[in-house]
Amino acid sequence: MNTDASALQLVLAVDPTLVAIVLLSLMVSLSAVLIAAVIGIPLGALIALTRFPGRGMAIVALNALMGLPPVVVGLAVFLLLSRSGPLGSLGMLFTPQAMIVAQAILVTPIVAALARQTIEDLWEEYRDEFAAMNVGPVQRIGTLIWDGRFSLVTALLAGFGRSAAEVGAIIIVGGNIDGFTRTMTTAIALETSKGNLPLAVGLGIVLIAIIIAINALAWWARRTGERYAG
Amino acid sequence: MTENMRPPPSDLPIAFENVTVTEGSVTILDRLSLTISPGEPTFVIGPNGSGKTTFLRAAMGLVAPTEGRVTWGGRDGVSPHKLAFVFQRPVMLRRSAESNVRFTLSAAGVPRIEHDGRVAELFKLVGLDGLQKRSARRLSGGEQQRLAIARALARDPSVIFLDEPTASLDPAATKAIEDIVRTITARGVKAVLSTHDLGQARRLANDIIFLHRGRIIETGATSEFFESPRSPEARSFIEGDLLV
Amino acid sequence: MIIRRILIATALCLSLFSPQRSIAQDKSIVVASTTSTQDSGLFEYLLPIFTKKTGITVKVIAQGTGQALDTGRRGDADVVFVHAKSAEEQFLSEGQSLKRYPVMYNDFVLIGPKSDPAKIGGTSDIAAALKSIMAKGAPFISRGDRSGTHIAELMLWKQAGIDIEKEKNAWYKSIGQGMGAALNTAQASSAYVLSDRGTWLNFKNKNDLQIGVQGDKRMFNQYGVMLVNPDKHPNVKKDLGQQFIDWLVSVEGQKVIGDYKINGEPLFYPNANDSGA
Ligand SMILES: Nc1ncnc2c1ncn2[C@@H]1O[C@H](COP(=O)(O)OP(=O)(O)OP(=O)(O)O)[C@@H](O)[C@H]1O
Ligand SMILES: [Mg+2]
């Protein structure tokens, strides 16, 4: 990376290294959110729609897991994926995949907890109609997820915000390798440590702009969608 | 509703045998025994909080009796596709009016190729033709009520429960719904309604169930009930001064 | 419909895992090295030259020397490239590596604020400077992260006759972070700090920091490179790793290291031929 460029130049000029870092950041965060959605939404739905002993505890635990400390997750994934760890033979440590795994662990509880709340509220509302229409369990879950989709997107955005802003876990499991596992946040950490504060600030501005852009996109999609589906 | 004559509905008669429903320490229905038979509409009337909604839910199988039992055509379980319910405050799914009906059709296992025809027919029947593509939650209260009826009829029920279906409707909309009830009765569907509108009960009901504080005070043919009520509660309710 | 979506999403995720992995294992090695080597900018200069010549991608994890050696001990790196001879010899004696190659050296410099509260200006005697810092209670930032620089710093206190574990007080702040973070902290709190010269020269946030002491022979900083023992960790890419080491100590690699300069000043002095280093 051209360390002599000023923050503004870096933001305006399309630096290929910066583009690669941005793309990797997006790839890692969005993959983590995708995995979190695939696991978290059905999990949230399951907890919302079933009654079992210890359910209250499960909900409290899920809500608490939203605040998992990233470094602890990073460390746990690190120990798991290390060559000397139980999954060492996968050779996944210090790869983007390892970062995705760590972030998926951080984001899944957020998505699951928010999805549970959304789906449970909707379920309260729909429950009588479903019973009267004799809707089967699969169609039931599908309908609740589909009708709750706008709120669920907000849950996914919350997860995306967490993963895009996160540095503690991915710097441990990714190793911040130049051109391979260096993301926006780890690059900011590195440039700060090099005393290259203008570049760090520039990267920070880019990161915030991207997060805002994605949220704006989601907001626009939601508004458009609601106009037609309400 | 393409076939006019159906085989005798097997969910009827619906029989209550000493049915009690309690919620916590509150007794909502108190030892009800009665039979709902095929034919013209049956009306459940009574003041607010007398237990009409709970009674209909029990008859639908949505509420299990705390004591006693309900049977449908002599059987304990509800035959799943033959009963339908229009709630006092129907909840529309977050999608178009038409999709709400399609949803019920697929839940009832109606093959997809039949959906278009059924949707068109049902919208015409309830007088919502032209509103198919509108968002269901943005329809007016009366339109939503009619959509709820269309949705219930999509199940091709042998019995339909309507809980105060005209409570918040203007006279024209009320008449439209009464006409729907007559039409489906003519097609062999048994309608069970609750209402506060005594005129409506007079116009449509074959027989009346009068509830008060969770108890059956009177049951009987409509003309008998209105002309010679036996209980003081029924008499003052008809005269308009029975309070809860 | 929703189920189909979920299936597609899952398939996408899985596809993301496999092909990338095979690329990653394609002619690349992981080198555990030190923050000072990375922060000095040497790798950004040197690695593209090596990759162009051999087609081998080098992935550098920048850690403290102690942590980098631990990464090698767990088998998570193929090569370790660090600067703390005693710790490296310990690594060898554990059988974690079979051979240590000296590569280059640079020197440590004692950095301090221009106001120079400990009055060390001009001296080239590091022991005297440290004694003066302690006597004046002038703020001092220690890496405190078992890095090569940290180990060197502890050695310098010892050589100055100071038992820093006993003497340290509010003026001595151990931050447990990398070289750059330590320099940032020193800058922000007008403190003294020991740095390797390379990181210092490449450091952009100097402001009112300057070199206080340099040129003392005791501040010599030797770098060594070792291949992680493939007998202990079968996943180690010994051929590619050895190729990297051989290049570093080759005439060509040594010239590249010597050619790396900031503002005309060399940061590292190649000395692979000095077998005693
Ligand atoms: N789940 C419940 N828990 C506690 N009390 C209930 C419950 N459901 C109904 N009740 C009470 O039981 C009584 C009968 O309720 P229900 O809804 O059946 O009356 P209703 O005749 O339909 O009244 P309305 O004319 O106002 O619709 C009311 O006093 C109500 O508060
Ligand atoms: Mg009611």
PDB file of all heavy atoms in Angstrom, chain B residues 53 88 163-164, ligand 2:
ATOM      1  N   THR B  53     -67.359 -16.130  22.294  1.00  0.00           N
ATOM      2  CA  THR B  53     -66.137 -16.450  21.554  1.00  0.00           C
ATOM      3  C   THR B  53     -65.553 -17.770  22.035  1.00  0.00           C
ATOM      4  O   THR B  53     -65.182 -18.637  21.239  1.00  0.00           O
ATOM      5  CB  THR B  53     -65.113 -15.310  21.729  1.00  0.00           C
ATOM      6  OG1 THR B  53     -65.661 -14.120  21.163  1.00  0.00           O
ATOM      7  CG2 THR B  53     -63.808 -15.636  21.049  1.00  0.00           C
ATOM      8  N   GLN B  88     -63.311 -12.766  15.486  1.00  0.00           N
ATOM      9  CA  GLN B  88     -63.909 -11.468  15.773  1.00  0.00           C
ATOM     10  C   GLN B  88     -63.033 -10.343  15.223  1.00  0.00           C
ATOM     11  O   GLN B  88     -63.518  -9.377  14.677  1.00  0.00           O
ATOM     12  CB  GLN B  88     -64.039 -11.342  17.303  1.00  0.00           C
ATOM     13  CG  GLN B  88     -64.992 -10.285  17.763  1.00  0.00           C
ATOM     14  CD  GLN B  88     -65.350 -10.467  19.237  1.00  0.00           C
ATOM     15  OE1 GLN B  88     -65.015 -11.474  19.852  1.00  0.00           O
ATOM     16  NE2 GLN B  88     -66.044  -9.493  19.793  1.00  0.00           N
ATOM     17  N   ASP B 163     -67.528 -15.214  14.208  1.00  0.00           N
ATOM     18  CA  ASP B 163     -67.624 -14.565  15.513  1.00  0.00           C
ATOM     19  C   ASP B 163     -67.866 -13.075  15.311  1.00  0.00           C
ATOM     20  O   ASP B 163     -66.975 -12.342  14.919  1.00  0.00           O
ATOM     21  CB  ASP B 163     -66.321 -14.805  16.294  1.00  0.00           C
ATOM     22  CG  ASP B 163     -66.470 -14.428  17.765  1.00  0.00           C
ATOM     23  OD1 ASP B 163     -67.578 -14.007  18.180  1.00  0.00           O
ATOM     24  OD2 ASP B 163     -65.470 -14.561  18.498  1.00  0.00           O
ATOM     25  N   GLU B 164     -69.118 -12.654  15.557  1.00  0.00           N
ATOM     26  CA  GLU B 164     -69.528 -11.256  15.356  1.00  0.00           C
ATOM     27  C   GLU B 164     -69.021 -10.689  14.021  1.00  0.00           C
ATOM     28  O   GLU B 164     -68.305  -9.684  14.001  1.00  0.00           O
ATOM     29  CB  GLU B 164     -69.042 -10.387  16.520  1.00  0.00           C
ATOM     30  CG  GLU B 164     -69.649 -10.840  17.840  1.00  0.00           C
ATOM     31  CD  GLU B 164     -69.372  -9.854  18.975  1.00  0.00           C
ATOM     32  OE1 GLU B 164     -69.261  -8.661  18.683  1.00  0.00           O
ATOM     33  OE2 GLU B 164     -69.289 -10.292  20.125  1.00  0.00           O
TER      34      GLU B 164
HETATM   35 MG    MG D   2     -66.318 -12.385  21.580  1.00  0.00          MG
END
